[in-house]
Amino acid sequence: MSRETWEIVQESGIKNVEIQLALQCAPLIAGLKISNLFQISIEDYIQVLKILKNSRIMIYPLGVKGNTIALLLYRKRSLEGYLDQEKVKELLKEFGYSCTSIKEILVTFRKHYQEYLQKKCPFPHEIGFLLGYPPEDVEGFIRHQGKNSLCTGYWKVYADKEGKQRLFEKYEYARENLIQLLHYGLKMTEIIDICGCTAA
């Protein structure tokens, strides 16, 4: 993030919900990514619901820890298409998912995530599938236990380093742009509309 953009974030207030959406979910809002994990304070949850109410971005609560709620924000059709890939289905089955519908996968994952929050189980790294990460990177991360990656950006990369680095640059560019647009006075609902995320 550029120094100028970081100053805008500081000036706007790091706890500002719209700024947090731009910081954590710009690739999703800009249409570059099919989903994002979004962590926000419980008291700001209602504001998130209002901002995304008329958009194509779905909200799925995963769990609460302290005063923070973890949400999966996603584009339903895109995530369904991703989860329907043969490689993804094979890997999900290997990692204990007998279900194939997005609804069942989300319910099963939330159960795993909440068991992790309650310290009963290790972190469910299959979240990479719900976040739309390339299957080869999710598989590589799980098999190598997070070690031996080619590089790290928005996730740990285990194949096509150069291609993923170019993608990460696009994600960063989207984040900078969204923060700039908020700084110039646009509301997040307007940005979502400009990016074509508004429900028809």
Side-chain angles (χ1 to χ4, degrees):
M1 183 185 300
S2 71
R3 185 172 182 170
E4 179 189 354
T5 304
W6 179 243
E7 285 171 2
I8 291 170
V9 170
Q10 296 286 62
E11 181 186 311
S12 302
I14 196 77
K15 293 188 177 180
N16 177 300
V17 174
E18 294 190 335
I19 289 287
Q20 279 303 314
L21 274 165
L23 283 170
Q24 296 184 50
C25 302
L28 169 68
I29 294 165
L32 298 170
K33 205 166 174 294
I34 60 177
S35 56
N36 264 115
L37 187 63
F38 184 53
Q39 302 207 39
I40 195 79
S41 64
I42 293 169
E43 58 262 26
D44 291 328
Y45 178 48
I46 299 299
Q47 193 178 346
V48 175
L49 292 176
K50 286 179 183 173
I51 291 169
L52 298 177
K53 182 180 177 185
N54 296 315
S55 77
R56 288 193 178 109
I57 298 172
M58 310 294 288
I59 302 171
Y60 191 80
L62 294 174
V64 174
K65 186 173 184 180
N67 189 41
T68 302
I69 185 166
L71 308 170
L72 179 71
L73 305 186
Y74 66 98
R75 296 168 185 265
K76 189 178 181 198
R77 283 187 190 169
S78 301
L79 186 55
E80 282 176 334
Y82 170 87
L83 293 172
D84 198 43
Q85 293 177 65
E86 281 308 313
K87 180 67 173 173
V88 174
K89 287 197 284 191
E90 284 171 23
L91 289 168
L92 278 170
K93 191 173 181 182
E94 189 178 326
F95 298 126
Y97 287 74
S98 55
C99 45
T100 55
S101 79
I102 189 170
K103 184 178 178 183
E104 292 172 306
I105 290 169
L106 287 171
V107 167
T108 302
F109 176 77
R110 178 162 58 188
K111 182 175 175 266
H112 294 173
Y113 189 77
Q114 290 179 351
E115 286 170 350
Y116 156 74
L117 290 178
Q118 295 159 11
K119 301 190 187 314
K120 292 180 182 175
C121 293
F123 186 83
H125 292 295
E126 69 269 20
I127 192 173
F129 295 117
L130 292 177
L131 295 175
Y133 296 168
E136 65 273 15
D137 293 334
V138 182
E139 181 181 25
F141 183 90
I142 293 171
R143 298 210 190 291
H144 294 279
Q145 299 179 327
K147 299 173 185 171
N148 307 318
S149 63
L150 300 176
C151 69
T152 301
Y154 279 71
W155 60 82
K156 289 194 174 184
V157 172
Y158 288 84
D160 187 19
K161 176 182 172 183
E162 292 75 19
K164 307 286 172 53
Q165 286 176 326
R166 286 193 297 273
L167 187 59
F168 295 158
E169 285 172 12
K170 288 180 184 176
Y171 289 177
E172 280 300 306
Y173 184 72
R175 186 163 68 164
E176 297 261 344
N177 279 342
L178 263 62
I179 291 168
Q180 292 280 349
L181 289 171
L182 289 170
H183 178 65
Y184 292 138
L186 267 72
K187 299 287 182 196
M188 184 55 79
T189 50
E190 295 172 306
I191 295 170
I192 287 168
D193 189 31
I194 290 166
C195 292
C197 295
T198 306

